[in-house]
Amino acid sequence: MMKTDDKLIADFFATKKKEVADNGFSRKVMENLPHKTNRLAQAWALFVTLVALVLFFVFDGLQGVITTLRDVFVSMVQQSTTSIDPYSLLIAAVVLLFLGICKVWTME
């Protein structure tokens, strides 16, 4: 029954098919679409990322991050909030770092 219905539908549409004149419309649309890759934006993103990495290491950013995380952990312990797992803090820091990197790379 389904094959018969499918055949009838296919035959119906085959007989009613009409071609619509394009008159160059598709070509005009394709020409006006934004380019998928903008080389200047990619080069700028790469340059900014490299500068950020260089500045991070020149100004000893890793030590700053470690000091900040240590200070946060110490203040949590001092305030008797030991129920927070240090691994959760590490996971949160990694996720925030990942989201920050993704945001930088998607900026144009």
Side-chain angles (χ1 to χ4, degrees), residues 63-75 89-90 93:
Q63 184 62 36
V65 170
I66 291 171
T67 303
T68 302
L69 288 175
R70 184 182 324 118
D71 290 344
V72 168
F73 182 72
V74 168
S75 68
L89 184 62
L90 178 65

Side-chain angles (χ1 to χ4, degrees), residues 45-74:
L46 181 64
F47 174 73
V48 169
T49 302
L50 290 175
V51 168
L53 284 173
V54 167
L55 290 175
F56 181 79
F57 287 110
V58 165
F59 292 114
D60 204 18
L62 187 59
Q63 184 62 36
V65 170
I66 291 171
T67 303
T68 302
L69 288 175
R70 184 182 324 118
D71 290 344
V72 168
F73 182 72
V74 168

Side-chain angles (χ1 to χ4, degrees), residues 20-32:
V20 178
D22 188 49
N23 296 331
F25 176 77
S26 297
R27 180 183 47 80
K28 290 177 187 175
V29 169
M30 293 303 290
E31 288 173 356
N32 289 322

